Amino acid sequence: MKKLYEKSHFLIAGAAIIAAGSIATYFYLRNVAAKVSNPLNSAQIVPESAIMASFIHPNQQALNKLQQFGTPETRKLISQSYAEFQQKNLAEANIDWQKDIQPWLGGVMLAFVSAESEQDVDSVNLLMLVGIKNKLELWKFANKLKGDEENQVIERKYQGVTIREVTDESGKTFNLAILGDYLAIAPLAAAVEDAIDTFQGQASLAMQEDAAESLQQSAGVENALATIFIPNYSELIKAFTDDLPENEKLSTASLGQLEKIDSVVMGIGVDDAGLRLRTVTKLNSPLSPEQTETASVEVLQRFPAETMMSINGKNISSAWSQFVVQAQGSEDLQDLLEMVRKTLKDVDLDVDREVFGWMDGEFAIGLIRSNEGILAQTGVGGGMILETSDRFAANGMLRKLNRIAVEQPGVSLKERQVGEISVTEWQMIGIGSFLGYGWLDDDSLFVALGEPLIEVMTTMPDNGLIGSESFEEVVGSLPRSNQGYFYLNVEQMMVWANRYPFVNVIMPRDVKVVLSSIRGIGVTASWSDELTNEMEMLWVLQK
């Protein structure tokens, strides 16, 4: 009985030890998994000289949320793409992604690091840091690779750390080393050596100003899938353009514009609406006030809910002036600018003064569904509203355009009154009115393509774009104080496009499947302060 009692105590103690060990192992692995899922921890191993770093988050919550979206066709396409990836890249090496790689794979950081050695051929080295959430599983995977006799492995020591140089059957070489809970991989040994130096105490990317906030917040998106951090934008541009042929290099004017940018952080995540991309750009110095003015949505109030696509903003005149400045020093842009100027000069129009010079107010342009009248064949027409402080200059351009129009065979002008608005229509024999314009008030000019839309643009719609379910679904969660919206109702656009048989011929099936899974796209940009621009893009997905 005594022996039985002692034996039971021994078993209980052993079970307790095993249980305690299991619990400790669980918490250890959970802590490691959390650590290697944090981009800031990865950045502590990336050298300070990095000019860009991107991080793929192993965010299961985000992936689960993403799986709530999509059509059956989209899910089938993703499954097929995964199977093709497995077959093309891993099957020959007898590697299964889910069994051999996924169990140990944490977050992945890809960094471009400035080359410090004069022996480096490229000015930038590529470095990948892969988080290891389970070293035992990695060890199993490594042993599986060792069994591949076609891979040549050379081992050497650097600062006490083993670097393995692996050459595969195709002759490609990569270097790797284990640094704590991370696997450093690079085509060049110098990049891995730099990572080792950083791991052992030298300055890292994480020490750079704003790096911690930028990497941790991922530009403010929920359930982050990926983050891109560019701490020194001008250095990035310089590194990737210095070695270009002279005829492909950026102009001095373009480089000057890009040098105004200090840093950029981008984040893409998934929320209840769909996929959201946010980009935060910090400048070195403030822009002129007209470049940061906000726009209202008042000009969109005349657009109906049938508007498939719209873009609104402010001060086209200023944007044109900026383009003219950027074109200086760029041969391609200068050629384009001269072509536009010459084309309009041939019809007695000064593009700088008479065309864009008076467009200094807010504007809106939209594509509107309509199957009435002249638009029955196309199914879509266009509307535009331009605000100006120089109505005299705008009327001068319109008079010249009218003169050009009536010089064309079969085209005539017709004046008529629509309510209190005087409308000028361009008519063609056998077609009728195909364009109309008029002044909605003292400073707002409307232009409509297609006679049915003349009536639409001159009256306030009962069911307008602003407040419509589709518009609010797409732009409702975007910043309200902004420089204008880009809005695209992809569902309506696909319905319209599918009326044309040639679309099914020229559009790849995979593209059509992806587009069919998107309800709408919205984009806007805003300024949180005089040095910080925030761009946000939302893909509203089908559920």
Side-chain angles (χ1 to χ4, degrees), residues 337-349:
L337 178 61
E338 290 305 316
M339 182 186 71
V340 172
R341 282 176 170 162
K342 184 180 183 304
T343 301
L344 292 175
K345 187 177 181 180
D346 290 343
V347 292
D348 193 29
L349 280 172

Side-chain angles (χ1 to χ4, degrees), residues 42-49 113-114 116-117 120 125 127 129 156-163 177-180 184 189-205 207:
S42 297
Q44 292 173 354
I45 306 177
V46 176
E48 186 184 33
S49 60
V113 183
S114 295
E116 299 178 359
S117 172
D120 291 325
N125 288 334
L127 172 66
L129 286 169
R156 65 183 180 87
K157 291 283 187 179
Y158 176 80
Q159 303 286 37
V161 177
T162 301
I163 297 178
I178 294 179
L179 305 175
V192 175
E193 291 172 359
D194 289 342
I196 293 171
D197 292 336
T198 307
F199 179 71
Q200 295 181 345
Q202 290 193 12
S204 70
L205 174 64
M207 297 178 184

Side-chain angles (χ1 to χ4, degrees), residues 134-152:
N134 190 319
K135 289 186 177 179
L136 177 60
E137 294 295 337
L138 173 62
W139 180 76
K140 293 178 181 177
F141 177 63
N143 282 339
K144 190 170 186 176
L145 290 181
K146 281 183 179 179
D148 190 345
E149 297 179 355
E150 294 177 341
N151 290 336
Q152 298 179 0

Side-chain angles (χ1 to χ4, degrees), residues 198-256:
T198 307
F199 179 71
Q200 295 181 345
Q202 290 193 12
S204 70
L205 174 64
M207 297 178 184
Q208 290 202 24
E209 185 180 2
D210 296 330
E213 179 182 352
S214 298
L215 290 168
Q216 292 278 51
Q217 294 186 2
S218 190
V221 298
E222 296 179 28
N223 302 309
L225 293 168
T227 302
I228 298 176
F229 178 47
I230 305 173
N232 191 323
Y233 193 80
S234 59
E235 283 295 319
L236 176 73
I237 298 300
K238 185 174 181 294
F240 284 99
T241 59
D242 274 357
D243 296 332
L244 291 175
E246 284 299 322
N247 62 337
E248 295 181 16
K249 286 188 175 183
L250 295 175
S251 67
T252 303
S254 296
L255 286 173

Side-chain angles (χ1 to χ4, degrees), residues 154-180:
I154 300 174
E155 294 186 357
R156 65 183 180 87
K157 291 283 187 179
Y158 176 80
Q159 303 286 37
V161 177
T162 301
I163 297 178
R164 293 174 175 83
E165 181 184 280
V166 180
T167 304
D168 63 19
E169 58 179 335
S170 67
K172 294 180 181 178
T173 299
F174 57 95
N175 299 266
L176 55 88
I178 294 179
L179 305 175

